[in-house]
Amino acid sequence: MAKTKELSKPEKKVRERNQVKKGSHGGSQILLLEDVLHVGRQGEIVEVKAGYARNFLIPNGYAIIPSEHNMKRLDKFKVRVTQMRESRIADLKSVADQIVRTKSITIEANANEAGDLYGSVGPQEITRALRGKNLLVEPEMVVLPEPLRHCGIYPDVQVSLGYDIHAAIEVTIIPSGSGKKK
């Protein structure tokens, strides 16, 4: 009997997938690349719902899976991240100063003779008026407890620019000439 030489098969290299680690509450742990409102700041590892991470944060580039490679890459760019954050804060402070220097804005709205508006003035209209004065403000930044429904002067409308930077502006609502008259 002749001995047959057994051929050994080469071992397959199994490629590890970048799987999302589970957190203590059952959510997915992700590494934030940008500040995300109500989630966390740039460079933090946070736990969010799996679908939120998989369908929104990761595809839009707000977060990545916290692997060793990504952590090293983040450490490398942390200096640049802090410089970007500091420049962003400086820009927001200058916008806040411009808002304070502007002091007041006037918005025309349709109103009846008693001064009640037919609609309301909300963050969209205030943002539009601020942009008319070359101030880059988003509607989410205007803080109103409820929409403004009457003509008059509202002396302390808050604008929250982020990073705990706030400014106040006076909003004056006047009736427009196209109001209904009987």
Side-chain angles (χ1 to χ4, degrees), residues 95 98-99 101-107 125-137 169-172:
V95 170
Q98 290 174 354
I99 289 172
R101 276 188 267 132
T102 301
K103 294 183 184 176
S104 69
I105 56 171
T106 303
I107 299 173
E125 292 80 13
I126 294 172
T127 301
R128 197 174 305 123
L130 287 170
R131 284 187 181 164
K133 301 211 178 220
N134 293 326
L135 297 170
L136 299 176
V137 176
I169 191 161
E170 181 180 284
V171 176
T172 305

Side-chain angles (χ1 to χ4, degrees), residues 121-124 126 141-148 154 156-158 171:
V121 172
Q124 293 284 350
I126 294 172
M141 295 176 178
V142 177
V143 180
L144 287 176
E146 58 186 32
L148 309 176
Y154 297 88
D156 193 31
V157 175
Q158 291 294 318
V171 176

Side-chain angles (χ1 to χ4, degrees), residues 64-148:
I64 54 175
I65 299 168
S67 66
E68 284 183 41
H69 173 71
N70 289 338
M71 295 299 285
K72 286 179 186 174
R73 201 170 89 196
L74 183 72
D75 288 339
K76 218 183 232 186
F77 296 112
K78 227 167 200 169
V79 173
R80 188 163 41 152
V81 167
T82 56
Q83 290 173 347
M84 287 172 42
R85 181 175 286 147
E86 288 170 0
S87 69
R88 175 82 173 134
I89 289 172
D91 291 344
L92 291 175
K93 284 182 180 178
S94 69
V95 170
D97 290 340
Q98 290 174 354
I99 289 172
V100 170
R101 276 188 267 132
T102 301
K103 294 183 184 176
S104 69
I105 56 171
T106 303
I107 299 173
E108 284 189 17
N110 291 334
N112 62 15
E113 292 171 3
D116 297 329
L117 300 181
Y118 289 118
S120 64
V121 172
Q124 293 284 350
E125 292 80 13
I126 294 172
T127 301
R128 197 174 305 123
L130 287 170
R131 284 187 181 164
K133 301 211 178 220
N134 293 326
L135 297 170
L136 299 176
V137 176
E138 296 298 320
E140 300 85 36
M141 295 176 178
V142 177
V143 180
L144 287 176
E146 58 186 32
L148 309 176

